[in-house]
Amino acid sequence: MKRFALLVTALVAGIVLVACGDDDTTAPGAAESASTDHNTADVSFAQNMIPHHRQAIQMADLAATHASGPQVTELATRIRAAQDPEIAMMTGWLRTWGEPTDTTGSGAMGHGSAPGHGSMGHGSTGADSASAGTGMGMMSEADMAGLTGMRGAEFDRMFLEMMIEHHEGAVSMAETEIREGVYGPAKATAQNIQTNQTAEIQAMNTMLHRN
C-alpha cells in the first residue's frame, strides 16, 4: 500500500512538471506576439504624437523664463513631465516595429515644417484642428517665433491659447487611436492623453478667463 501511494505521488508530480513545462514553452511566444501586434493606426499615432509632444515641450520650456507667474510655469512643468517619457516610450514602439522614428521628413507632422505647412496656425478653432489631418494643433514657425518674443502677461495669454489648441489636436489624435488602433499600450497611452489633456484644457480655459 505504501509503495502504491508513493507511485501515485510520483505520477502526479510528473504530470504537474509536464504541465508547467508546456506553459513555459508556449507562454513567451504568446506574450511576444501580443506585445508586438499593431496596425497602421498605431504606427501613425506614435509617429505623429512624437513631434507633437516635442513641440509642446518646446513651448513649455519657454515658460521657465518668459511666464509672469507660477501658474503657467507649474503647468508647463507638468506638461514636460508627462510628455517627455511618452516620447521615449513611443520611440521604443517604433523601433520594435521596425518603423522610422525620425518623422520630421516624412508624411508625419514635424515641428520644423515651414510656416503654414502641416500646421494649424495660431488662432484656428478646435473644429479646424479636427480637419487638419496630421497637422492637428501644431504651431507654425511664425507662431513659435511670436511666442518666443513674448514676456510676462502677454506670454501667459499666448501660451495658454496656443497650448489649448495644441492639446485639442492631441486629444483628437488620441481619440483616433482609441477607435482604430489595436496595440494595447498605445491605446492605453491614448486614453491617458485624452483624459489628462482634456483636464488641462479645462484648467487653461479657467486661467485665461481669470486674467
Side-chain angles (χ1 to χ4, degrees):
M1 190 71 181
K2 185 176 180 181
R3 289 180 181 176
F4 178 76
L6 290 173
L7 177 61
V8 171
T9 302
L11 287 172
V12 171
I15 292 170
V16 171
L17 287 172
V18 169
C20 291
D22 287 343
D23 288 343
D24 289 342
T25 56
T26 58
E32 183 178 351
S33 175
S35 69
T36 56
D37 284 346
H38 64 283
N39 63 9
T40 55
D42 299 316
V43 174
S44 294
F45 172 71
Q47 288 183 332
N48 290 329
M49 195 62 80
I50 288 170
H52 200 274
H53 273 14
R54 284 175 179 159
Q55 188 179 70
I57 290 173
Q58 183 182 359
M59 294 164 64
D61 285 345
L62 290 172
T65 53
H66 291 54
S68 66
Q71 275 194 322
V72 171
T73 55
E74 288 171 4
L75 170 67
T77 299
R78 289 198 303 271
I79 289 171
R80 167 176 268 286
Q83 298 192 20
D84 212 15
E86 288 178 349
I87 290 173
M89 179 172 58
M90 290 184 284
T91 300
W93 299 342
L94 292 172
R95 285 176 179 158
T96 298
W97 300 336
E99 299 287 348
T101 59
D102 182 4
T103 59
T104 56
S106 68
M109 59 189 173
H111 66 265
S113 58
H117 178 69
S119 168
M120 283 298 305
H122 177 50
S124 300
T125 64
D128 291 333
S129 295
S131 63
T134 55
M136 287 181 182
M138 291 291 284
M139 300 296 117
S140 68
E141 288 182 355
D143 295 331
M144 295 302 295
L147 184 64
T148 302
M150 295 290 183
R151 296 291 189 281
E154 289 184 341
F155 173 87
D156 293 350
R157 178 188 55 77
M158 189 172 184
F159 174 86
L160 292 171
E161 290 175 350
M162 289 172 63
M163 193 61 80
I164 287 170
E165 184 177 334
H166 207 264
H167 272 25
E168 287 172 345
V171 169
S172 182
M173 292 162 62
E175 289 171 347
T176 300
E177 168 60 20
I178 293 168
R179 185 174 63 252
E180 300 178 6
V182 298
Y183 184 55
K187 290 170 74 71
T189 299
Q191 185 64 63
N192 287 336
I193 289 172
Q194 181 188 49
T195 300
N196 296 336
Q197 296 203 20
T198 296
E200 287 177 350
I201 288 170
Q202 294 172 348
M204 288 187 286
N205 274 316
T206 299
M207 293 166 67
L208 267 177
H209 295 149
R210 186 180 300 158
N211 296 332

